[in-house]
Amino acid sequence: WAEHLVLIYPLWLGDVPARFKGFLEQAIRPTLIGEIDLSGKSGRRLAGRSARIIVTMGMPGWFYRLYYRAHSLKSLQRNVLGFIGIAPVRTTVVGSVDRSLAHRTGWIARVKALGARAA
């Protein structure tokens, strides 16, 4: 029934935390996905819904995107959410979370603004 999903997780050893992956495995069951045709595409039962992924991390966000090419973020976006038909999927990378209270407060305000806009 949800039209917009928000997934928030800390980058853990360069990837999505194991418990979060386990949750997704249980939540996204074949009954939710729909039938898979010979091309490997799902029935896309969740088409028409959108999502926002927010990833927090200790390293600077720009470094994660540039050097690591945001591989775990893109994998979740394409291989999980895209596979079940969720689009568009927007992303927010919150880097340097251990920097200062002012830095964290600024990011919290930005995330609150995203929530208020439901984007």
Side-chain angles (χ1 to χ4, degrees), residues 6-103:
V6 178
L7 306 173
I8 304 172
Y9 65 91
L11 191 67
W12 187 257
L13 296 174
D15 206 351
V16 176
R19 285 190 179 203
F20 188 68
K21 281 185 179 183
F23 167 77
L24 291 175
E25 287 176 5
Q26 295 303 314
I28 303 172
R29 295 293 201 165
T31 54
L32 180 66
I33 296 171
E35 300 215 6
I36 299 175
D37 62 24
L38 293 176
S39 70
K41 294 193 177 199
S42 73
R44 301 194 186 274
R45 288 193 177 164
L46 297 181
R49 289 162 174 83
S50 59
R52 161 85 49 190
I53 303 171
I54 301 173
V55 184
T56 63
M57 63 194 66
M59 75 177 91
W62 64 266
F63 187 77
Y64 173 69
R65 287 192 186 272
L66 182 68
Y67 186 77
Y68 292 105
R69 301 193 189 273
H71 67 89
S72 70
L73 178 60
K74 289 179 182 176
S75 176
L76 178 61
Q77 185 177 13
R78 177 188 59 236
N79 301 339
V80 177
L81 300 178
F83 183 73
I84 59 176
I86 296 176
V89 178
R90 294 180 178 86
T91 62
T92 301
V93 174
V94 181
S96 303
V97 295
D98 56 351
R99 201 164 122 201
S100 69
L101 179 60
H103 181 74

